[in-house]
Coordinates of all heavy atoms in Angstrom, one line a residue:
I1080 N -2.8 6.4 3.6 CA -3.7 7.3 2.8 C -4.3 8.3 3.8 O -4.4 9.5 3.5 CB -4.8 6.5 2.1 CG1 -4.1 5.8 0.9 CG2 -5.9 7.4 1.5 CD1 -4.9 4.7 0.2
D1081 N -4.8 7.9 5.0 CA -5.4 8.8 5.9 C -4.4 9.8 6.5 O -4.8 10.9 6.7 CB -5.9 8.0 7.1 CG -7.2 7.2 6.8 OD1 -7.8 7.5 5.7 OD2 -7.6 6.3 7.6
E1082 N -3.1 9.4 6.6 CA -2.1 10.3 7.2 C -1.4 11.2 6.2 O -0.7 12.2 6.5 CB -1.1 9.5 8.0 CG -1.7 8.8 9.2 CD -0.8 7.9 9.9 OE1 0.4 7.7 9.5 OE2 -1.2 7.5 11.0
L1083 N -1.6 10.9 4.9 CA -0.9 11.7 3.9 C -1.4 13.1 3.7 O -2.6 13.3 3.9 CB -1.0 11.0 2.5 CG 0.0 11.6 1.5 CD1 1.1 10.6 1.3 CD2 -0.7 11.8 0.2
D1084 N -0.6 14.1 3.5 CA -1.0 15.5 3.3 C -1.4 15.6 1.8 O -0.7 16.0 1.0 CB 0.1 16.5 3.6 CG -0.3 17.9 3.4 OD1 -1.5 18.2 3.2 OD2 0.6 18.8 3.4
W1085 N -2.7 15.3 1.6 CA -3.2 15.3 0.2 C -3.2 16.7 -0.4 O -3.2 16.9 -1.6 CB -4.5 14.6 0.1 CG -4.4 13.1 0.3 CD1 -4.6 12.4 1.4 CD2 -3.9 12.2 -0.7 NE1 -4.3 11.0 1.2 CE2 -3.9 10.9 -0.2 CE3 -3.6 12.3 -2.1 CZ2 -3.5 9.8 -0.8 CZ3 -3.2 11.2 -2.8 CH2 -3.2 9.9 -2.2
A1086 N -3.3 17.7 0.4 CA -3.3 19.1 0.0 C -2.0 19.4 -0.8 O -2.0 20.3 -1.7 CB -3.5 20.0 1.1
A1087 N -1.0 18.6 -0.5 CA 0.3 18.9 -1.2 C 0.4 18.0 -2.5 O 1.5 18.0 -3.1 CB 1.5 18.5 -0.3
T1088 N -0.7 17.4 -2.9 CA -0.6 16.6 -4.1 C -1.6 17.2 -5.2 O -2.4 18.0 -4.8 CB -1.1 15.1 -3.8 OG1 -2.5 15.1 -3.6 CG2 -0.4 14.5 -2.6
P1089 N -1.5 16.7 -6.4 CA -2.4 17.2 -7.4 C -3.9 17.0 -7.1 O -4.8 17.7 -7.6 CB -2.0 16.5 -8.7 CG -0.6 16.1 -8.5 CD -0.5 15.8 -7.0
L1090 N -4.2 16.0 -6.3 CA -5.6 15.7 -5.9 C -6.2 16.7 -4.9 O -7.4 16.8 -4.8 CB -5.8 14.3 -5.4 CG -5.4 13.1 -6.3 CD1 -5.7 11.8 -5.6 CD2 -6.3 13.2 -7.6
G1091 N -5.3 17.4 -4.2 CA -5.8 18.3 -3.2 C -6.3 17.7 -2.0 O -6.3 16.5 -1.9
P1092 N -6.9 18.5 -1.0 CA -7.3 17.9 0.2 C -8.4 16.9 0.0 O -9.3 17.1 -0.8 CB -7.9 19.1 1.0 CG -7.4 20.3 0.2 CD -7.1 19.9 -1.2
R1093 N -8.4 15.8 0.8 CA -9.4 14.8 0.7 C -10.8 15.3 0.9 O -11.8 14.8 0.3 CB -9.2 13.7 1.7 CG -8.0 12.8 1.3 CD -7.8 11.6 2.2 NE -8.8 10.6 2.1 CZ -8.9 9.5 2.8 NH1 -8.0 9.3 3.7 NH2 -9.8 8.6 2.6
S1094 N -11.0 16.3 1.7 CA -12.3 16.9 1.9 C -12.9 17.5 0.6 O -14.1 17.7 0.6 CB -12.3 18.0 3.0 OG -11.4 19.0 2.6
E1095 N -12.1 17.7 -0.3 CA -12.5 18.3 -1.6 C -12.5 17.3 -2.8 O -12.9 17.7 -3.9 CB -11.6 19.5 -2.0 CG -11.7 20.7 -1.0 CD -10.8 21.8 -1.3 OE1 -10.3 21.9 -2.4 OE2 -10.6 22.7 -0.4
W1096 N -12.2 16.1 -2.5 CA -12.3 15.1 -3.5 C -13.7 14.9 -4.0 O -14.6 14.9 -3.2 CB -11.8 13.7 -3.0 CG -10.3 13.7 -2.8 CD1 -9.4 14.7 -3.0 CD2 -9.5 12.5 -2.4 NE1 -8.1 14.2 -2.7 CE2 -8.2 12.9 -2.4 CE3 -9.9 11.2 -2.1 CZ2 -7.2 12.0 -2.0 CZ3 -8.9 10.3 -1.8 CH2 -7.5 10.7 -1.7
P1097 N -13.9 14.6 -5.3 CA -15.3 14.3 -5.7 C -15.8 13.0 -5.1 O -15.0 12.1 -4.7 CB -15.1 14.1 -7.2 CG -13.7 14.0 -7.5 CD -12.9 14.6 -6.3
L1098 N -17.1 12.9 -4.9 CA -17.7 11.7 -4.3 C -17.3 10.4 -5.1 O -17.1 9.4 -4.5 CB -19.2 11.8 -4.3 CG -19.7 12.9 -3.3 CD1 -21.2 13.0 -3.4 CD2 -19.3 12.6 -1.9
S1099 N -17.1 10.5 -6.4 CA -16.8 9.4 -7.2 C -15.4 8.9 -6.8 O -15.2 7.7 -6.7 CB -16.8 9.7 -8.7 OG -16.1 10.9 -9.0
L1100 N -14.4 9.8 -6.6 CA -13.1 9.3 -6.2 C -13.1 8.7 -4.8 O -12.5 7.7 -4.5 CB -12.1 10.5 -6.2 CG -10.7 10.2 -5.7 CD1 -10.0 9.1 -6.5 CD2 -9.8 11.5 -5.8
Q1101 N -13.9 9.4 -3.9 CA -14.0 8.9 -2.5 C -14.6 7.4 -2.5 O -14.1 6.6 -1.8 CB -14.9 9.8 -1.7 CG -14.3 11.1 -1.4 CD -15.2 12.0 -0.6 OE1 -15.9 11.6 0.3 NE2 -15.3 13.3 -1.0
A1102 N -15.6 7.2 -3.3 CA -16.2 5.9 -3.4 C -15.3 4.8 -4.0 O -15.2 3.7 -3.5 CB -17.5 6.0 -4.3
V1103 N -14.5 5.2 -5.0 CA -13.6 4.2 -5.7 C -12.5 3.9 -4.7 O -12.1 2.7 -4.6 CB -13.1 4.8 -7.0 CG1 -11.9 4.0 -7.5 CG2 -14.2 4.9 -8.0
V1104 N -12.0 4.9 -4.0 CA -10.9 4.6 -3.0 C -11.4 3.7 -1.9 O -10.7 2.7 -1.5 CB -10.3 5.9 -2.5 CG1 -9.4 5.7 -1.3 CG2 -9.6 6.7 -3.5
K1105 N -12.6 4.0 -1.4 CA -13.1 3.1 -0.4 C -13.3 1.7 -0.8 O -12.9 0.7 -0.1 CB -14.5 3.7 0.1 CG -15.1 2.9 1.2 CD -16.4 3.6 1.7 CE -16.9 2.8 2.9 NZ -18.1 3.5 3.5
M1106 N -13.8 1.5 -2.1 CA -13.9 0.1 -2.6 C -12.6 -0.6 -2.8 O -12.4 -1.7 -2.4 CB -14.7 0.2 -3.9 CG -16.2 0.4 -3.8 SD -17.1 0.2 -5.3 CE -16.4 1.5 -6.3
A1107 N -11.6 0.2 -3.3 CA -10.3 -0.4 -3.5 C -9.6 -0.8 -2.2 O -9.0 -1.9 -2.1 CB -9.4 0.6 -4.3
L1108 N -9.7 0.0 -1.2 CA -9.1 -0.3 0.1 C -9.8 -1.5 0.7 O -9.1 -2.2 1.5 CB -9.1 0.9 1.0 CG -8.2 2.1 0.5 CD1 -8.4 3.3 1.5 CD2 -6.8 1.7 0.4
G1109 N -11.0 -1.7 0.5 CA -11.7 -2.8 1.1 C -11.6 -4.1 0.3 O -12.0 -5.2 0.7
S1110 N -10.9 -4.1 -0.8 CA -10.7 -5.3 -1.7 C -9.5 -6.1 -1.3 O -8.4 -5.5 -1.0 CB -10.7 -4.9 -3.1 OG -10.4 -6.0 -4.0
K1111 N -9.5 -7.4 -1.5 CA -8.3 -8.2 -1.3 C -7.6 -8.4 -2.6 O -6.6 -9.0 -2.7 CB -8.8 -9.6 -0.7 CG -9.3 -9.4 0.7 CD -9.6 -10.8 1.3 CE -10.4 -10.8 2.5 NZ -10.0 -10.4 3.7
F1112 N -8.3 -8.0 -3.7 CA -7.7 -8.1 -5.1 C -6.8 -6.8 -5.3 O -7.2 -5.7 -4.9 CB -8.8 -8.1 -6.1 CG -8.4 -8.3 -7.5 CD1 -8.0 -9.6 -7.9 CD2 -8.2 -7.3 -8.4 CE1 -7.6 -9.8 -9.2 CE2 -7.8 -7.5 -9.7 CZ -7.5 -8.8 -10.1
P1113 N -5.6 -7.0 -5.9 CA -4.8 -5.8 -6.2 C -5.5 -4.7 -7.0 O -6.0 -5.1 -8.1 CB -3.6 -6.4 -7.0 CG -3.6 -7.8 -6.7 CD -5.0 -8.2 -6.4
Q1114 N -5.5 -3.5 -6.5 CA -6.2 -2.4 -7.2 C -5.3 -1.2 -7.1 O -4.8 -0.8 -6.0 CB -7.6 -2.2 -6.6 CG -8.5 -3.4 -6.9 CD -9.9 -3.0 -6.5 OE1 -10.4 -1.9 -6.7 NE2 -10.6 -4.0 -6.1
A1115 N -5.2 -0.5 -8.2 CA -4.6 0.8 -8.2 C -5.5 1.8 -9.0 O -6.1 1.4 -10.0 CB -3.2 0.8 -9.0
I1116 N -5.7 2.9 -8.4 CA -6.5 4.0 -9.0 C -5.5 5.0 -9.5 O -4.6 5.4 -8.8 CB -7.4 4.6 -7.9 CG1 -8.3 3.6 -7.3 CG2 -8.2 5.8 -8.5 CD1 -8.8 3.9 -5.9
V1117 N -5.7 5.4 -10.8 CA -4.9 6.4 -11.4 C -5.8 7.5 -11.7 O -6.7 7.4 -12.6 CB -4.1 5.9 -12.6 CG1 -3.3 7.0 -13.2 CG2 -3.3 4.7 -12.2
W1118 N -5.7 8.7 -11.1 CA -6.7 9.7 -11.1 C -6.2 11.1 -11.6 O -5.2 11.5 -11.1 CB -7.4 9.9 -9.8 CG -8.7 10.6 -9.8 CD1 -8.9 12.0 -9.7 CD2 -10.0 10.1 -9.9 NE1 -10.2 12.3 -9.7 CE2 -10.9 11.1 -9.8 CE3 -10.5 8.8 -10.0 CZ2 -12.3 10.9 -9.9 CZ3 -11.8 8.6 -10.0 CH2 -12.7 9.6 -10.0
G1119 N -6.9 11.7 -12.5 CA -6.6 13.1 -12.9 C -5.5 13.2 -13.9 O -4.8 12.2 -14.3
P1120 N -5.3 14.4 -14.4 CA -4.2 14.7 -15.4 C -2.8 14.4 -15.0 O -1.9 14.2 -15.8 CB -4.4 16.2 -15.8 CG -5.3 16.7 -14.7 CD -6.0 15.6 -14.0
A1121 N -2.6 14.4 -13.6 CA -1.2 14.1 -13.1 C -1.1 12.6 -12.9 O 0.0 12.2 -12.3 CB -1.0 14.9 -11.9
Y1122 N -2.1 11.8 -13.2 CA -2.0 10.3 -13.0 C -1.7 10.0 -11.6 O -0.8 9.1 -11.3 CB -1.0 9.7 -14.0 CG -1.3 9.8 -15.4 CD1 -0.5 10.5 -16.3 CD2 -2.5 9.3 -16.0 CE1 -0.8 10.7 -17.6 CE2 -2.8 9.4 -17.3 CZ -2.0 10.1 -18.1 OH -2.3 10.3 -19.5
T1123 N -2.3 10.6 -10.6 CA -2.0 10.4 -9.2 C -2.5 9.0 -8.8 O -3.6 8.7 -9.1 CB -2.7 11.5 -8.3 OG1 -2.2 12.8 -8.8 CG2 -2.3 11.3 -6.9
T1124 N -1.6 8.3 -8.2 CA -1.9 6.9 -7.9 C -2.3 6.7 -6.4 O -1.7 7.2 -5.5 CB -0.6 6.0 -8.2 OG1 -0.2 6.3 -9.5 CG2 -0.8 4.5 -8.0
I1125 N -3.3 5.8 -6.3 CA -3.7 5.4 -4.9 C -3.9 3.9 -5.1 O -4.5 3.4 -6.1 CB -5.0 6.0 -4.5 CG1 -4.9 7.5 -4.5 CG2 -5.5 5.5 -3.2 CD1 -6.2 8.3 -4.3

Side-chain angles (χ1 to χ4, degrees):
I1080 290 167
D1081 286 346
E1082 293 177 354
L1083 193 106
D1084 178 14
W1085 287 99
T1088 75
L1090 295 181
R1093 283 183 76 181
S1094 61
E1095 296 178 15
W1096 287 5
L1098 291 177
S1099 53
L1100 177 57
Q1101 293 177 41
V1103 170
V1104 169
K1105 184 176 181 176
M1106 285 189 296
L1108 293 176
S1110 176
K1111 293 183 193 291
F1112 185 80
Q1114 295 191 32
I1116 300 156
V1117 180
W1118 196 272
Y1122 299 115
T1123 305
T1124 306
I1125 302 171

